[in-house]
Amino acid sequence: MGRILAIDYGRKRCGVAVTDTLQIIAGGLATVATHELLKFITDYSNKEDVDQIIIGLPKQMNNEASESMKYIKPFVASLKKMNIVKSLSVLKMSI
């Protein structure tokens, strides 16, 4: 079973978390400069078996998409083109 990689996408830096190989426990992996994130994911997925990448979907308090979405959508499109993992999810986060 491969790992699940979770990304908290930011304009300057992104937080990356990963599960163990049994997908039971997740922990912080790294904080990566946004312009280096695709390379980081590629390098990590070459070293470790990654089944899924999950990207948080930021919302404002009125439930509208946050300003960050204009940066996340192109990133997700680039990630899909790379065809690195079996599954790519953009999650809706609620409070």
Side-chain angles (χ1 to χ4, degrees):
M1 186 179 310
R3 298 173 186 268
I4 298 173
L5 201 65
I7 300 170
D8 181 12
Y9 193 90
R11 287 176 55 183
K12 294 183 181 182
R13 289 176 295 282
C14 299
V16 181
V18 67
T19 64
D20 61 341
T21 54
L22 296 176
Q23 299 180 355
I24 296 173
I25 299 171
L29 178 63
T31 301
V32 181
T34 300
H35 68 277
E36 297 174 357
L37 185 59
L38 284 174
K39 181 181 178 337
F40 178 86
I41 292 171
T42 302
D43 292 346
Y44 186 80
S45 63
N46 286 336
K47 290 188 288 187
E48 299 285 343
D49 185 24
V50 177
D51 282 347
Q52 184 175 20
I53 297 176
I54 298 173
I55 303 169
L57 179 64
K59 295 278 188 166
Q60 295 181 19
M61 293 303 287
N62 63 1
N63 208 29
E64 291 179 5
S66 85
E67 182 184 329
S68 299
M69 281 307 295
K70 66 182 173 186
Y71 304 103
I72 294 173
K73 287 181 181 181
F75 170 74
V76 170
S78 297
L79 201 53
K80 284 182 179 179
K81 285 180 188 176
M82 294 175 68
N83 201 23
I84 295 174
V85 294
K86 301 169 193 164
S87 177
L88 177 63
S89 303
V90 179
L91 294 182
K92 294 182 179 177
M93 311 276 297
S94 60
I95 297 174

